[in-house]
């Protein structure tokens, strides 16, 4: 019979490769989703106050993820402050009733979508002046972000992008607190750490035009604080483009 000649094969790897590069139409939708998320972060920046709960801050961000010109825009938002932010490297984010205190960092994370495509964005705000150690860590994280982006080009190894960020963090004395990969593919899911290109030390992925991924250097000091800056980048024909 015909069925006796059928061979069943796992197609997950094939689909993962297909999903790793987006079409111009898909990239345009992700760009729009990123603009919405950016506007939402900008809107809440001046409204965060000491005494607000993490849940209140997260709800405030999420309420601004809708787009009146599109009926399929929404998302998820999470806020972690002070010592809670030190746990933001975990597989899931969690906002609590804890009240935000002056002089500490507040990590605000967003996974929003528009037209079926997702974003992955994090920002860390300071509630008033922050200690010098945290200010220094934030500066190192931004430097690591720039170094990783500079390494992005077609044909580059994803592991080289991770190494560029990780070397900066090591030199700043923060290597042990950078507790996850530098990034992963973004677009077809809210968070999929195995989505190509996988930006971590052992990745064998090679960057191609049309790939979109996040760059998220971070430092998490247990019981004290956590700082992360997560942007999205697009691999272009001759380099890279920030989407956030």
């Amino acid at each position: 019979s015909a069925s006796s000649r059928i061979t069943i094969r796992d197609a997950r790897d094939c689909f993962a490769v297909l999903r790793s590069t987006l079409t111009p139409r898909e990239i345009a939708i992700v760009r729009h989703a990123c603009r919405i998320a950016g506007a939402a972060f900008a809107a809440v920046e001046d409204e965060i106050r000491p005494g607000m709960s993490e849940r209140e801050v997260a709800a405030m961000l999420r309420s601004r993820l809708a787009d009146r010109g599109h009926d399929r825009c929404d998302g998820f938002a999470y806020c972690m402050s002070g010592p809670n932010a030190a746990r933001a490297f975990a597989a899931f984010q969690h906002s609590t009733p804890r009240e935000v205190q002056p002089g500490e960092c507040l990590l605000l994370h967003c996974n929003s979508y528009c037209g079926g495509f997702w974003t992955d964005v994090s920002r860390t705000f300071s509630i008033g002046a922050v200690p010098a150690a945290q200010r220094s860590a934030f500066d190192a994280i931004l430097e690591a972000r720039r170094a990783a982006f500079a390494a992005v080009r077609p044909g580059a190894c994803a592991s080289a992008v991770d190494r560029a960020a990780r070397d900066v963090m090591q030199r700043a004395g923060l290597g042990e607190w950078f507790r996850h990969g530098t990034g992963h593919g973004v677009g077809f899911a809210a968070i999929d750490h195995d989505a190509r290109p996988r930006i971590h030390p052992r990745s064998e992925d090679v960057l191609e035009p049309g790939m979109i991924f996040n760059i998220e250097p971070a430092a998490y000091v247990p019981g004290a604080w956590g700082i992360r800056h997560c942007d999205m980048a697009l691999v272009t024909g001759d380099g890279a483009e920030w989407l956030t």
Side-chain angles (χ1 to χ4, degrees):
S1 66
S3 61
S4 65
R5 297 191 297 273
I6 293 175
T7 300
I8 298 176
R9 295 184 179 177
D10 191 334
R12 284 176 295 182
D13 192 60
C14 177
F15 282 118
V17 172
L18 290 172
R19 287 158 61 97
S20 68
T21 55
L22 281 67
T23 67
R25 173 186 170 275
E26 293 166 343
I27 291 170
I29 298 173
V30 174
R31 275 201 184 97
H32 186 57
C34 288
R35 285 194 293 269
I36 295 169
F41 274 99
V44 304
E45 179 178 359
D46 293 329
E47 298 184 21
I48 300 172
R49 296 286 184 272
M52 295 179 69
S53 72
E54 293 176 353
R55 290 177 180 172
E56 287 175 321
V57 176
M60 189 166 58
L61 178 62
R62 183 177 180 181
S63 70
R64 289 167 171 80
L65 295 176
D67 179 9
R68 293 180 182 177
H70 202 294
D71 62 358
R72 294 180 61 206
C73 291
D74 200 349
F76 307 98
Y78 307 93
C79 174
M80 293 141 283
S81 62
N84 285 352
R87 299 194 294 270
F89 67 91
F92 63 91
Q93 311 296 287
H94 181 55
S95 305
T96 75
R98 182 184 189 274
E99 294 184 353
V100 176
Q101 303 299 318
E104 65 183 19
C105 290
L106 179 151
L107 196 158
L108 194 53
H109 174 76
C110 165
N111 289 114
S112 61
Y113 64 83
C114 181
F117 290 86
W118 289 84
T119 71
D120 190 356
V121 187
S122 295
R123 294 289 184 268
T124 303
F125 298 95
S126 61
I127 309 302
V130 296
Q134 294 174 39
R135 176 73 251 185
S136 177
F138 188 71
D139 289 342
I141 286 167
L142 293 184
E143 183 183 347
R145 165 189 177 271
R146 290 190 291 268
F149 183 75
V152 177
R153 66 183 67 86
C157 294
S159 59
V161 178
D162 179 272
R163 184 166 58 252
R166 206 165 295 279
D167 285 350
V168 172
M169 299 298 285
Q170 291 282 5
R171 290 196 299 271
L174 298 167
E176 67 177 309
W177 308 126
F178 184 14
R179 307 181 66 175
H180 50 64
T182 298
H184 53 77
V186 180
F188 286 98
I191 298 179
D192 180 356
H193 295 285
D194 200 41
R196 303 183 187 193
R198 297 156 293 190
I199 315 297
H200 61 72
R202 297 184 180 182
S203 176
E204 297 179 354
D205 296 341
V206 176
L207 303 186
E208 301 177 28
M211 286 181 165
I212 293 178
F213 56 92
N214 60 353
I215 293 177
E216 53 177 344
Y220 310 96
V221 178
W225 49 266
I227 299 173
R228 180 170 71 235
H229 192 95
C230 179
D231 277 307
M232 290 172 54
L234 164 68
V235 184
T236 64
D238 57 0
E241 172 192 338
W242 285 121
L243 297 180
T244 53

